[in-house]
Amino acid sequence: MAGSRLQGKEVIFLAYQSLGTAFAALSISPIYVYKVTFSGKLRDHQTEDVVFGVCSLIFWTLTLVTLLKYAIIMLTADDNGEGGTFALYSLLCRHGKFGLLPNYQTADEEISTYGNAKISLRSTPSSRFRGSIDRLKRRKTLLLLLVLFGASLGMTFGALAPAISVLSSIEGVQAQVTSLHKGSVIAIASVVLIGLFVLQHRGTYRAAFVFAPIMILWSLSIAALGIYNIIVWNPNVYKALSPYFIIEFFRHTGPDGWISLGGVLLCITGTEVMFEDLGYFSAASVRIAFFCVTYPCLVLQYLGQAAFLSKNFTAFPMSFYASIPDPLFWPFFAMAVLAAIVASETAISAACSFVNQSHALGCFPRVKILHTSRWIKGRIYVPELNWVLMILCLAVAVGFRDTNHIAYAFAFAWILKAFVTTWLMSLAIHYVWHKNLAFTISFFLLFGSIETIYFSSACVKIPKGAWVPLFLSSLFMFVMYIWHYATRKKYKIDLQNKVPMKWILTLGPTLGVLRVPGIGLFYTELATGIPATFANFLSNLPAFYQVAVFVCVKTIPVPHVPHKERYLIGRIGPKSYRLYRCVVRNGYKDVHRKDDDLENDLIMSIAEFIQLEAEGCGTLDGSMDGWMAVVRTSEKFGTRLAVSESDDPIISHSSSFSDSMGCSCSKSAALLKLQSIYVKESSHLTLHRGRIYRFQLRETKFKNPQVKEELLHLVEAQQAGVTYVMGHSQVRARSNSSFLKKFAINGVYSFLSENCRSPSVALNIPQVCLIEVGMKYHVV
């Protein structure tokens, strides 16, 4: 929770909530860790020392990776309170100049969330290590591919985590109902998974207060079960905490022990979630929840299960459920299924968040992104991804029919994600926090070596299921990079073909066409200059609106942009042209909501800009179009115009249309017919968007009569109506391009652009007020 200092009670409450989401996947691991670890040739080494060795490996892996790397170090690497792969990439883009986002403006650096008080701005001494990183720095695309690969793995978790969690929890019923066949277990798990994805659209906030009690009850229960097994079966299991047993483990098992590390790795799968979900809570609350509840409960459970297995070697195939006393089996089974559902929902929600952030950075096709909570920011739902994940999850569960193979895939995906995080964090330590070289190398070598050992073991399992995350993540990354590549090429063509300002000036205030009442919002990817689509529009239509606003919606490498700093307003050409520019700046975690009123915010911002311009205020941007101002930071913002609301669309639109027509021209029969069509269409529009706003100029004295005249002109244009103009682009590869590029652009990108949501729908633009201008791009 960026920018907020939380009180003690708030921290405790957030810690309580984090137990229901941030640690759900991590807490469900004891169900299958020992089962998978002893599923291979390690079953031939059934001795107490081997069991203690596995327990020691689990303890130290959990301590070094989950506790030290994530809970202590990674949680400090926040971007204004946000964590995750894109938070690290955002920090590198801002402070290490790794970014590839277009439309950079110096005014963006003035956003309050752009800087970070914890980051030192001092320069660092040169070194061989820094020189090697500089070579990577010049290859920004490689870093972007690394980030996209990490995001793709996050989406893959959305298919693998529900499959392993639900199936492993439900198959425990076979410990009591031995007559239940494997096919029946798969069928029950499939029904649960389908229900989970079908109900996903309701969002996590409706059950947020249920998730936390479920996971707290689960954590305390498995801890109590661990204590019971320690007391009953082997009180000496505490000795397994000594690293000595790790040495003894490898001495007795040899290569078989190394291969089994893929199962041990499962004890830390889900750790990444505590860092990815940092923005919903705070570092302090997550640490409290982990140190006080999750970590001790997991350690006690793994010790208890080791104590049980050290005296019951035949129980390895169903180790967790076999360790439960018979009278408590069914309560534990019910809790396990509920905990698995919570862990699955967390993975799906995280996958949706990755899609949202990738889309914001121009690396994912336009999809429907819905807020699922009015009170909790960031809780989103992506319908298209939800159904894709459901199909993949069912394919994994039904196709493998074995939790061991799904576990191999899950572990391999996690270790790849851990590698990505280690690389990004190492770069951030060096480039963002400017720590000394020894600290950077120590971090990379310590955790990189641990992950390399586990990765080498996980690679052995690629033929046995670990190929699935590699295939899915590569597919996701391919789609994301193709979309980014084509989008960036299109932007460069727009930048090269923008209309010279001299051409606009030669047209005069009328722009060479008839200026009709109304406001035209012309959407463009350019933050400076006039797009070629505007010239195409004027050459094909004999009229344009009396007020034109060029709107550029762009993403800044920050998680959130405060609403008062979101709009950057400027003017294009002389005042008589009535041409304005508005740059709408969003963070990579900001989401367009249906109740956002861009139209009215723009009008209020332009009115404030007109007054600030007359007073000689503003923030210089160096743009060729003139200076631009963040007008909502003005103390007088909102005092220039009076705003009134109306619930009756027909009366409101009819009166506004009549007023504007009356002030501009006589009411001919053609205009009356046009008015009736406008009112009919606007009534339908209002039902979709809500209230109608009318602006009026306040009765105040203006020192400059030109300011009053321009404001009146703006109000009249608003009352006449607002029309949205967007480019309808078609991107094709040139005839002399390579086969691979033609396949990527003409095949993949064209298919994606034709089947994804249109830009107008993604921006919540009403179709009844939309004009599209066709443009064709030929990329090299």
Side-chain angles (χ1 to χ4, degrees):
M1 307 186 80
S4 59
R5 293 185 178 180
L6 302 173
Q7 301 297 326
K9 292 182 179 179
E10 294 174 321
V11 172
I12 297 300
F13 179 70
L14 288 175
Y16 162 80
Q17 285 188 318
S18 68
L19 289 169
T21 54
F23 302 106
L26 184 64
S27 300
I28 201 72
S29 299
I31 294 179
Y32 46 78
V33 170
Y34 282 105
K35 173 183 180 294
V36 176
T37 302
F38 285 93
S39 63
K41 293 184 179 181
L42 204 61
R43 285 177 295 186
D44 300 332
H45 306 274
Q46 295 182 358
T47 64
E48 183 177 286
D49 285 350
V50 171
V51 174
F52 280 17
V54 171
C55 183
S56 186
L57 279 168
I58 291 172
F59 171 75
W60 286 106
T61 303
L62 194 66
T63 300
L64 290 176
V65 177
T66 307
L67 187 148
L68 180 59
K69 178 184 176 182
Y70 283 91
I72 294 179
I73 299 177
M74 294 300 300
L75 291 185
T76 63
D78 66 287
D79 181 14
N80 292 282
E82 297 288 343
T85 304
F86 285 102
L88 292 174
Y89 181 62
S90 173
L91 289 171
L92 289 170
C93 289
R94 301 203 308 267
H95 303 283
K97 307 303 180 185
F98 282 89
L100 284 171
L101 288 175
N103 284 326
Y104 168 79
Q105 294 172 288
T106 55
D108 298 337
E109 298 185 8
E110 302 300 322
I111 297 175
S112 58
T113 55
Y114 197 92
N116 194 323
K118 297 187 295 184
I119 298 174
S120 172
L121 297 179
R122 66 179 177 86
S123 60
T124 55
S126 59
S127 64
R128 292 184 179 180
F129 178 74
R130 184 178 177 85
S132 63
I133 297 297
D134 282 338
R135 287 192 290 273
L136 176 64
K137 182 179 177 180
R138 289 191 292 268
R139 302 170 186 174
K140 299 177 182 179
T141 302
L142 292 179
L143 182 64
L144 177 65
L145 286 173
L146 182 67
V147 172
L148 294 183
F149 185 60
S152 301
L153 289 167
M155 298 176 201
T156 304
F157 288 156
L160 297 178
I164 181 66
S165 301
V166 173
L167 186 57
S168 62
S169 63
I170 291 179
E171 74 175 1
V173 73
Q174 291 179 307
Q176 286 288 320
V177 186
T178 56
S179 60
L180 191 65
H181 297 291
K182 190 69 174 181
S184 301
V185 173
I186 298 294
I188 296 172
S190 299
V191 171
V192 174
L193 288 171
I194 292 174
L196 174 67
F197 282 99
V198 168
L199 297 178
Q200 181 67 21
H201 70 281
R202 294 188 177 274
T204 59
Y205 79 100
R206 297 180 184 273
F209 289 99
V210 178
F211 288 172
I214 289 174
M215 296 312 302
I216 292 174
L217 181 61
W218 168 256
S219 298
L220 296 178
S221 298
I222 61 176
L225 178 63
I227 295 173
Y228 169 82
N229 286 323
I230 291 172
I231 295 173
V232 172
W233 295 105
N234 195 343
N236 293 324
V237 74
Y238 71 90
K239 296 179 180 178
L241 300 180
S242 171
Y244 166 79
F245 284 95
I246 297 179
I247 300 173
E248 288 297 306
F249 170 79
F250 285 110
R251 188 172 68 86
H252 285 95
T253 60
D256 295 339
W258 168 71
I259 294 174
S260 68
L261 289 178
V264 176
L265 179 61
L266 291 167
C267 73
I268 52 176
T269 51
T271 299
E272 190 84 14
V273 180
M274 78 164 76
F275 182 49
E276 297 288 348
D277 283 358
L278 182 60
Y280 303 136
F281 312 106
S282 67
S285 63
V286 172
R287 287 192 179 108
I288 289 173
F290 179 74
F291 285 115
C292 296
V293 180
T294 304
Y295 180 72
C297 289
L298 287 175
V299 171
L300 288 172
Q301 166 54 212
Y302 286 122
L303 284 172
Q305 213 172 144
F308 173 79
L309 291 174
S310 66
K311 304 300 181 183
N312 299 272
F313 297 118
T314 59
F316 285 121
M318 203 68 67
S319 59
F320 176 78
Y321 286 103
S323 68
I324 302 173
D326 288 341
L328 298 177
F329 177 83
W330 292 111
F332 265 94
F333 175 76
M335 284 190 294
V337 174
L338 291 176
I341 291 174
V342 174
S344 302
E345 200 286 329
T346 301
I348 299 169
S349 179
C352 292
S353 180
F354 276 113
V355 168
N356 175 44
Q357 296 173 68
S358 302
H359 171 259
L361 295 176
C363 300
F364 202 86
R366 293 176 296 270
V367 292
K368 187 176 184 179
I369 299 175
L370 299 176
H371 269 279
T372 58
S373 174
R374 296 181 181 178
W375 305 279
I376 305 176
K377 286 186 176 181
R379 296 298 190 189
I380 57 175
Y381 167 65
V382 182
E384 295 92 334
L385 179 68
N386 184 65
W387 306 127
V388 170
L389 292 179
M390 184 185 75
I391 295 172
L392 294 176
C393 184
L394 290 174
V396 169
V398 176
F400 283 129
R401 302 174 64 86
D402 184 3
T403 52
N404 291 333
H405 287 217
I406 302 175
Y408 299 151
F410 192 35
F412 191 70
W414 190 90
I415 197 62
L416 290 175
K417 186 71 165 62
F419 261 130
V420 172
T421 303
T422 300
W423 273 100
L424 292 177
M425 187 61 183
S426 300
L427 290 174
I429 289 172
H430 191 70
Y431 272 101
V432 180
W433 287 278
H434 303 303
K435 298 296 183 181
N436 58 59
L437 187 61
F439 185 83
T440 304
I441 295 178
S442 298
F443 175 86
F444 182 79
L445 290 181
L446 173 60
F447 299 109
S449 60
I450 294 173
E451 291 157 4
T452 300
I453 293 172
Y454 279 108
F455 175 75
S456 64
S457 175
C459 285
V460 179
K461 306 297 184 180
I462 289 179
K464 297 182 179 180
W467 60 269
V468 172
L470 200 58
F471 171 75
L472 292 180
S473 57
S474 300
L475 182 62
F476 280 128
M477 186 179 71
F478 176 73
V479 169
M480 294 164 70
Y481 183 71
I482 291 297
W483 186 268
H484 167 79
Y485 175 81
T487 302
R488 187 167 177 80
K489 285 290 186 180
K490 186 174 68 172
Y491 168 78
K492 288 182 178 180
I493 293 176
D494 281 336
L495 196 63
Q496 294 171 358
N497 297 331
K498 62 183 181 181
V499 178
M501 196 63 194
K502 292 182 180 180
W503 182 78
I504 296 293
L505 295 176
T506 57
L507 296 178
T510 63
L511 299 179
V513 295
L514 176 66
R515 303 293 289 269
V516 298
I519 297 179
L521 300 182
F522 201 99
Y523 280 80
T524 174
E525 297 292 330
L526 301 178
T528 58
I530 308 297
T533 49
F534 182 69
N536 189 26
F537 181 89
L538 294 181
S539 62
N540 287 278
L541 293 176
F544 198 66
Y545 299 95
Q546 64 187 98
V547 174
V549 184
F550 292 90
V551 182
C552 172
V553 181
K554 70 175 186 177
T555 300
I556 308 295
V558 296
H560 302 285
V561 176
H563 191 262
K564 66 178 182 179
E565 302 177 51
R566 182 160 295 172
Y567 300 98
L568 194 63
I569 306 296
R571 185 190 297 278
I572 300 176
K575 294 182 179 180
S576 58
Y577 282 55
R578 301 292 190 263
L579 297 177
Y580 305 95
R581 183 184 305 284
C582 174
V583 179
V584 184
R585 304 178 292 184
N586 295 314
Y588 58 83
K589 296 202 76 173
D590 288 326
V591 181
H592 292 285
R593 306 182 63 147
K594 288 186 177 180
D595 54 357
D596 291 342
D597 205 328
L598 175 64
E599 176 184 317
N600 294 326
D601 285 343
L602 279 181
I603 294 169
M604 295 291 290
S605 299
I606 292 173
E608 184 66 26
F609 169 82
I610 293 171
Q611 184 65 32
L612 288 176
E613 185 185 38
E615 296 172 357
C617 304
T619 302
L620 292 175
D621 181 56
S623 168
M624 61 171 287
D625 307 325
W627 64 268
M628 303 187 75
V630 185
V631 296
R632 296 187 71 91
T633 57
S634 171
E635 296 179 356
K636 297 181 180 179
F637 182 82
T639 62
R640 317 295 183 179
L641 301 178
V643 185
S644 60
E645 298 181 5
S646 173
D647 291 318
D648 192 334
I650 298 180
I651 294 176
S652 178
H653 279 286
S654 179
S655 60
S656 64
F657 188 91
S658 300
D659 292 343
S660 61
M661 289 296 105
C663 69
S664 303
C665 55
S666 61
K667 292 186 179 180
S668 63
L671 283 176
L672 289 174
K673 183 178 180 180
L674 178 62
Q675 176 183 352
S676 63
I677 297 174
Y678 176 81
V679 170
K680 181 179 179 181
E681 293 181 342
S682 297
S683 62
H684 172 72
L685 169 63
T686 305
L687 293 175
H688 175 70
R689 301 185 64 191
R691 293 177 177 272
I692 290 297
Y693 293 87
R694 285 175 54 83
F695 291 87
Q696 293 179 346
L697 193 62
R698 295 183 183 273
E699 296 296 332
T700 56
K701 293 183 179 180
F702 292 88
K703 296 181 181 179
N704 189 341
Q706 292 183 350
V707 172
K708 182 177 182 180
E709 179 185 355
E710 190 169 1
L711 289 175
L712 282 172
H713 202 81
L714 178 66
V715 170
E716 291 174 0
Q718 187 273 335
Q719 292 176 350
V722 177
T723 300
Y724 301 81
V725 183
M726 299 191 74
H728 184 76
S729 59
Q730 183 181 8
V731 182
R732 307 292 292 178
R734 290 186 179 178
S735 57
N736 58 348
S737 299
S738 64
F739 170 79
L740 185 61
K741 188 168 294 186
K742 288 181 180 179
F743 171 75
I745 300 298
N746 300 345
V748 179
Y749 180 79
S750 296
F751 174 80
L752 293 174
S753 59
E754 290 173 4
N755 290 277
C756 71
R757 300 174 73 83
S758 66
S760 60
V761 175
L763 293 172
N764 296 322
I765 294 176
Q767 298 296 310
V768 71
C769 297
L770 176 66
I771 298 176
E772 292 187 319
V773 181
M775 292 290 291
K776 195 167 186 177
Y777 296 82
H778 292 277
V779 300
V780 180

